[in-house]
Amino acid sequence: MSSSLFIHRFGKTKSLTKRSTKKYLEEALYRRLFKDGVQIVRQNLNQFIKSRKKAYKWEVDHTLKILRNRKRYAPALKLSETMAERGMNKTVSDQAVHLDLIAKTRGITAAEAYFVNLPEQSKNHYTYGALLNHYCKELMTEKAESMFEKMKEWNLSLTSLHYNSILTLYEKTGQPERIPEIIRDMKTAEVKLDVFTYNIWMRAVAAMNDISEVERVIDEIKKDEQVSEDWTTYSNLASIYVNAGLTSKAEKALKELEKQNTYKNLSAFQHLITLYGKTGNLVEVYRVWRSLRLAFPKTANVSYLNMIQVLVKLNDLPGAEKCFREWVSGCSSYDIRIVNALIGGYAKAGFIEKAEELKELSRRRGAKPNAKTWEIFLNFYLENGDIETAVGCIDNAVSTGRANGEKWVPPATVVKKFMAHFEKGKDVDGAEGFVRILEKVEIMLVLESLIRVYAAAGKTSPVVRRRVKMENVELSDEGKALLETISI
């Protein structure tokens, strides 16, 4: 890259040619961090910190913005803390960003401590808003409402962002009836509604089964000259119509969505495919898929995943297979999510041999089965009465765990089905083996079911009573009576 690099920001031009390379980095900070790819950002950041070289504040701000957009919160917080330690002054807006990063990396309690220790002049709508946003994200209703009321009492400059946080909280906690009230408050306080606000409002009245009110909200958006309706508005509207069974209206909304997608947004294409799929319109699904492929010749894995899932739901298995082959021909590495989508299609159609073959083929190509893979096979074998194979699937899913490192735990309904089978078959050994698998993920609530299996088989065990006591399991009255029986 030329040494006469210029960076444009806020309408101004910054020259990097005159900076002293003894004191400052020889290139913009964000370029230094990302030049070797996203995977070693942390390593490059550590090198910058150790070098003790300086960076302009605008570079730090821009770098923090990029790191946050890419969800690299821990390196962003480290950079923010380092620059503060080096004496770089933080504006109140910077402090709000710092609070947000603390909440995302260290949790709400740490963010609250940071907020409390801020100077009083820094406690304004920026920092209050950042903490309010996290209260709402964590569904901490009482704290969120208390803080929001304080912000109103102290006449802080509230915007649609603050109101949207509260609206989202009520939507997620199943309180749609409270949302129209907040909208009225916004209008009374002369706070301008944005597209996000209108979308939440639409979904709220839809949740209350008031389609006519949904359409009134849409009319209001069209009349609001300060709001530009976008594709998300019509995606929400189409979804509402689909859920209400109004297919014709849904397809009209989808046509409007397409008109709004002038910038060829990938998410818009994917919503179109999903929603046309929900209307059962396979012709439109394929038409939009062709448009997506034209707009994005290098089609992303997530697009193939979405398309195959939709085709499977529409029972177009040949189409899903063709789409899968197209993906395989151009993919650089196997994505187990896409494999799972087709495996699910095969299992749904009863083609379990094909599903098993694809699983093994994918394993050879480097896409190892994950918990979701085993869950698909588990459901198939359980539904078809092959309990032994289903137990093996449970064992594999538990051993594999989830992709994010969390344990995979079978649903309670599935566990009950297994234990009912063992009880009916008086299969104590099978039940004991199953319980040993569940103990890997610390599921102890099956002991009462195990007692029932022993009782049904007419077998006794002095060990079960000790296990109940050690694991502090609360048994029902019937379970206690059966425990007495099998402990003799």
Side-chain angles (χ1 to χ4, degrees):
M1 182 166 290
S2 169
S3 61
S4 60
L5 173 68
F6 286 85
I7 303 295
H8 297 272
R9 191 166 180 264
F10 305 128
K12 297 180 180 179
T13 305
K14 301 266 184 185
S15 172
L16 301 184
T17 56
K18 298 178 182 178
R19 66 200 294 166
S20 166
T21 54
K22 290 183 179 180
K23 292 183 178 180
Y24 289 86
L25 287 171
E26 63 276 6
E27 58 186 334
L29 176 58
Y30 66 92
R31 292 190 185 279
R32 165 61 65 90
L33 295 190
F34 287 98
K35 68 178 182 178
D36 300 315
V38 177
Q39 301 304 319
I40 57 173
V41 165
R42 193 185 297 270
Q43 182 180 326
N44 288 341
L45 175 61
N46 289 336
Q47 288 176 357
F48 162 67
I49 291 171
K50 287 178 183 177
S51 73
R52 305 295 299 174
K53 286 197 173 184
K54 297 180 180 180
Y56 291 113
K57 186 177 184 303
W58 69 265
E59 293 179 76
V60 175
D61 291 345
H62 191 58
T63 304
L64 286 173
K65 183 178 180 181
I66 294 173
L67 287 168
R68 291 172 75 208
N69 286 343
R70 299 186 184 185
K71 302 187 185 329
R72 304 303 299 269
Y73 302 124
L77 179 59
K78 188 171 184 179
L79 174 61
S80 181
E81 288 177 332
T82 299
M83 301 319 291
E85 290 166 3
R86 293 186 182 180
M88 184 171 283
N89 291 328
K90 285 184 181 292
T91 65
V92 179
S93 178
D94 295 334
Q95 290 168 331
V97 168
H98 194 84
L99 189 153
D100 174 70
L101 291 170
I102 290 174
K104 285 172 176 169
T105 55
R106 296 173 188 163
I108 286 286
T109 304
E112 288 175 324
Y114 175 78
F115 178 81
V116 168
N117 291 323
L118 285 173
E120 286 305 310
Q121 64 267 28
S122 293
K123 293 176 181 177
N124 66 5
H125 61 287
Y126 287 119
T127 49
Y128 265 101
L131 191 52
L132 171 69
N133 183 47
H134 281 283
Y135 283 151
C136 292
K137 281 184 176 178
E138 297 299 322
L139 308 184
M140 302 169 75
T141 303
E142 191 174 327
K143 285 191 172 186
E145 288 178 336
S146 175
M147 176 160 280
F148 191 57
E149 288 305 314
K150 284 180 184 176
M151 293 171 74
K152 289 197 286 188
E153 286 171 17
W154 295 340
N155 293 318
L156 298 183
S157 302
L158 298 182
T159 67
S160 59
L161 288 175
H162 304 107
Y163 278 94
N164 288 344
S165 292
I166 288 289
L167 291 171
T168 303
L169 170 66
Y170 290 146
E171 182 178 36
K172 287 183 177 178
T173 53
Q175 303 179 73
E177 69 283 352
R178 301 192 64 178
I179 289 174
E181 175 191 342
I182 301 295
I183 299 293
R184 286 193 292 273
D185 286 349
M186 289 182 73
K187 292 180 177 180
T188 302
E190 297 183 347
V191 176
K192 298 297 181 185
L193 281 65
D194 60 21
V195 169
F196 192 81
T197 316
Y198 278 115
N199 285 345
I200 295 177
W201 187 10
M202 262 200 304
R203 293 196 296 269
V205 292
M208 294 186 282
N209 300 313
D210 193 344
I211 297 298
S212 62
E213 185 66 9
V214 171
E215 292 170 342
R216 196 189 70 73
V217 174
I218 282 290
D219 289 339
E220 188 169 325
I221 297 174
K222 291 176 178 177
K223 291 173 184 175
D224 191 337
E225 295 179 354
Q226 293 183 302
V227 173
S228 298
E229 51 191 340
D230 63 11
W231 70 266
T232 63
T233 305
Y234 289 99
S235 175
N236 274 280
L237 182 60
S239 182
I240 289 166
Y241 283 144
V242 165
N243 292 335
L246 302 170
T247 303
S248 178
K249 285 190 172 185
E251 293 199 342
K252 285 181 181 177
L254 290 173
K255 292 298 180 187
E256 285 296 325
L257 193 166
E258 288 191 70
K259 289 179 185 176
Q260 294 290 334
N261 190 26
T262 51
Y263 295 105
K264 306 296 183 187
N265 183 288
L266 179 60
S267 291
F269 279 119
Q270 291 179 177
H271 276 78
L272 280 165
I273 289 170
T274 300
L275 290 166
Y276 272 125
K278 287 182 176 180
T279 68
N281 196 330
L282 190 58
V283 173
E284 289 297 286
V285 167
Y286 276 113
R287 182 184 64 78
V288 176
W289 175 245
R290 287 192 294 271
S291 297
L292 185 154
R293 295 292 307 280
L294 286 171
F296 298 92
K298 191 176 179 181
T299 310
N301 280 4
V302 69
S303 298
Y304 277 106
L305 174 62
N306 185 52
M307 182 62 176
I308 292 172
Q309 287 173 334
V310 169
L311 294 176
V312 166
K313 285 178 182 175
L314 292 174
N315 298 315
D316 182 11
L317 197 52
E321 289 177 315
K322 182 181 178 184
C323 193
F324 184 83
R325 288 193 297 270
E326 286 177 6
W327 169 70
V328 169
S329 68
C331 74
S332 55
S333 62
Y334 252 51
D335 186 333
I336 192 61
R337 297 173 304 165
I338 299 174
V339 175
N340 284 344
L342 187 55
I343 285 176
Y346 284 142
K348 178 184 175 184
F351 300 148
I352 200 62
E353 294 83 5
K354 279 192 169 186
E356 291 282 7
E357 286 172 11
L358 181 55
K359 180 190 71 179
E360 293 308 314
L361 174 64
S362 300
R363 194 200 298 271
R364 291 195 294 272
R365 293 287 297 266
K368 294 181 180 178
N370 61 9
K372 179 63 180 176
T373 316
W374 293 115
E375 196 169 358
I376 295 168
F377 284 105
L378 160 66
N379 291 334
F380 176 85
Y381 287 120
L382 188 58
E383 287 173 11
N384 286 274
D386 188 345
I387 299 300
E388 185 179 348
T389 307
V391 169
C393 293
I394 288 258
D395 196 8
N396 284 320
V398 166
S399 300
T400 304
R402 297 193 181 278
N404 60 6
E406 293 180 359
K407 295 175 181 177
W408 179 86
V409 179
T413 52
V414 170
V415 173
K416 285 180 180 178
K417 283 183 181 179
F418 276 102
M419 296 308 290
H421 168 82
F422 294 130
E423 182 180 349
K424 185 179 179 181
K426 304 177 182 180
D427 184 358
V428 171
D429 292 339
E432 284 283 12
F434 183 63
V435 169
R436 280 195 295 275
I437 293 170
L438 297 186
E439 285 174 348
K440 296 176 186 176
V441 285
E442 299 173 2
I443 295 183
M444 303 305 182
L445 300 179
V446 293
L447 275 179
E448 182 156 339
S449 296
L450 184 61
I451 291 167
R452 292 178 187 278
V453 177
Y454 270 97
K459 291 189 176 183
T460 60
S461 170
V463 178
V464 177
R465 186 190 293 277
R466 289 201 298 272
R467 287 163 71 178
V468 169
K469 189 174 181 179
M470 287 173 60
E471 293 163 15
N472 198 27
V473 174
E474 186 67 33
L475 299 176
S476 66
D477 289 341
E478 184 185 0
K480 290 175 184 176
L482 289 174
L483 179 61
E484 293 299 323
T485 302
I486 71 165
S487 300
I488 296 171

